[in-house]
Amino acid sequence: MDNPPIARARPKKLLRHGHVRVDPYYWINRRDDPEVLRYLEEENDYTDNAMSHTKTLQEALFREIAGRLQPDDLSVPYLRDGYFYYHRFEAGAEYAVHCRKKGTVDAPEEVLVDANALASGHDYFSLFLSGVSPDANNLAYAIDTKGRHLYTVYFKNLASGALFPEVLPAVTGDLAWANDNRTIFYTKQHPETLRAYRLFRHVLGTDPSEDELVYEERDETYELHVFAAKSRRFIMLACEHSVSSEYRYLDADMPYGELRLLEPRLHGREYSVSHHGEHFYILTNQGAVSFKLVRAPIVTPSARHWEDVVPHRKDVLVEDFELFRDFLVLIERYEGRQRIRVIPW
């Protein structure tokens, strides 16, 4: 194909908020339409033909990049609940093998998930480790073989290696375990927009069709993210917008308890939350264009109770923070350079 394919213009009027927008290529969003698929194949053929003279260079660049990678690379192990977790690669394999060792890095290896085995036979494969239960006995992992970020979550008993009979289909893979080691909170996306907008509760060993809807985000400009606080005392639900945010929290020991609002959303105000001791620690831009770190008591976490931990500094952007037993860690940017500050409590 010497000439690029030309997509037909089929103007469609779209009315939103009293404003009419004309999109001549709206028809291309029909992903299963044979005409759309045929046009995309023509674009791919044209690209392959136009770039054909660079094939030798492409292969050389690939070999050079691959040659700089250690074929049997290994991540740095981290300790959690008596196990050292890590992932490693095998020479000639495309995906990681996720493993752990009990007590010491010299202990026998336990393979949690071999992504290479799971990827076999699929043109596309993505693995998301959703997390190990607090008692370290069960693993949740999510797989996408289509490329639309619609994951299927599987549950594995790590003692026997057997999979539980149920799966969670067409979900985000975003998941948090409650402290009873059998209740799981997960998010599900809209089938068309793929916006994560629903939070469900699942009990291990039960039928997912009976899972209870815990929260639904009706504002189309927000999406959900669920996670367990590092302390494991709370399940956190973040409602995120490009310029504002809102958090809810639930006692991880009481999975059927009330999902409480930390601070209502306010356009232009961003905040993120973690927990340590008897306080929530909150990174926010409220009155702080470069962000600051505040804290509030768990019993009264709303903004009127926020007190500065790291005050606002106009010349230092606080990008993120981490809480540890003995230290507060700040990820900052100063004079264009990123730096890490480690502060003893």
Side-chain angles (χ1 to χ4, degrees):
M1 180 182 291
D2 296 327
N3 298 317
I6 305 299
R8 294 184 182 181
R10 299 175 180 173
K12 181 179 177 61
K13 293 182 179 180
L14 303 170
L15 176 64
R16 182 66 63 90
H17 306 303
H19 174 72
V20 176
R21 176 172 60 90
V22 178
D23 185 349
Y25 304 107
Y26 185 82
W27 63 275
I28 297 180
N29 73 356
R30 304 195 299 263
R31 60 174 61 89
D32 296 322
D33 188 310
E35 184 178 1
V36 173
L37 296 175
R38 184 167 55 252
Y39 170 71
L40 295 178
E41 289 171 356
E42 290 175 355
E43 281 198 342
N44 289 338
D45 291 342
Y46 173 76
T47 301
D48 290 342
N49 183 64
M51 298 294 292
S52 60
H53 66 286
T54 68
K55 273 192 172 182
T56 301
L57 175 60
Q58 291 179 44
E59 292 170 358
L61 289 172
F62 176 80
R63 288 194 299 270
E64 180 179 343
I65 294 171
R68 295 172 183 268
L69 302 175
Q70 187 175 329
D72 55 351
D73 200 8
L74 177 74
S75 70
V76 177
Y78 67 91
L79 181 63
R80 181 76 170 180
D81 300 323
Y83 287 89
F84 284 92
Y85 290 87
Y86 61 97
H87 64 265
R88 59 177 175 81
F89 291 88
E90 298 176 347
E94 291 190 50
Y95 300 95
V97 181
H98 299 268
C99 312
R100 71 179 184 181
K101 294 182 178 182
K102 188 173 184 178
T104 170
V105 293
D106 297 321
E109 180 179 83
E110 178 184 349
V111 175
L112 305 179
V113 178
D114 182 352
N116 298 287
L118 295 176
S120 178
H122 296 290
D123 293 331
Y124 175 88
F125 178 80
S126 175
L127 171 69
F128 182 56
L129 289 187
S130 301
V132 177
S133 59
D135 63 4
N137 289 333
N138 298 308
L139 169 71
Y141 64 90
I143 292 175
D144 172 22
T145 59
K146 301 296 183 183
R148 294 203 67 222
H149 300 286
L150 291 168
Y151 286 86
T152 299
V153 172
Y154 298 84
F155 299 99
K156 180 180 181 180
N157 182 280
L158 296 178
S160 66
L163 293 177
F164 283 81
E166 78 264 27
V167 300
L168 306 179
V171 299
T172 65
D174 214 9
L175 180 149
W177 291 86
N179 288 337
D180 63 0
N181 301 296
R182 60 191 300 268
T183 306
I184 300 105
F185 293 87
Y186 65 95
T187 54
K188 193 175 181 66
Q189 57 273 74
H190 189 280
E192 292 299 324
T193 65
L194 301 184
R195 177 179 69 95
Y197 75 120
R198 285 179 169 176
L199 176 72
F200 286 89
R201 176 171 44 230
H202 175 71
V203 177
L204 203 59
T206 66
D207 186 348
S209 66
E210 300 176 356
D211 289 354
E212 181 181 356
L213 176 64
V214 178
Y215 178 82
E216 180 172 350
E217 178 53 60
R218 299 184 182 277
D219 188 330
E220 294 181 357
T221 63
Y222 283 80
E223 65 177 1
L224 303 181
H225 171 55
V226 65
F227 62 99
K230 185 183 289 186
S231 66
R232 287 189 175 149
R233 185 170 169 181
F234 297 101
I235 304 295
M236 310 296 298
L237 179 66
C239 304
E240 300 285 356
H241 180 282
S242 57
V243 296
S244 57
S245 48
E246 177 182 86
Y247 277 71
R248 287 171 170 80
Y249 61 99
L250 172 71
D251 189 328
D253 290 331
M254 302 176 64
Y256 286 87
E258 180 184 355
L259 192 64
R260 297 178 178 273
L261 177 63
L262 192 144
E263 174 64 19
R265 64 191 66 178
L266 178 65
H267 186 75
R269 178 177 64 191
E270 300 175 60
Y271 72 93
S272 59
V273 184
S274 193
H275 164 255
H276 180 75
E278 296 305 315
H279 292 84
F280 285 121
Y281 285 76
I282 302 157
L283 182 65
T284 182
N285 68 343
Q286 179 170 292
V289 66
S290 295
F291 287 82
K292 64 179 179 179
L293 186 67
V294 302
R295 74 174 189 176
I298 292 171
V299 294
T300 54
S302 61
R304 65 178 178 272
H305 298 289
W306 292 0
E307 61 176 351
D308 286 0
V309 176
V310 179
H312 178 237
R313 296 156 294 165
K314 289 184 178 180
D315 59 340
V316 179
L317 174 65
V318 184
E319 296 185 332
D320 205 353
F321 72 104
E322 286 286 348
L323 305 180
F324 297 90
R325 183 188 60 194
D326 299 323
F327 301 96
L328 162 66
V329 177
L330 299 176
I331 294 88
E332 303 177 332
R333 190 170 295 276
Y334 176 67
E335 294 185 342
R337 297 181 179 181
Q338 194 175 62
R339 67 186 186 188
I340 296 175
R341 291 179 64 202
V342 181
I343 306 170
W345 287 117

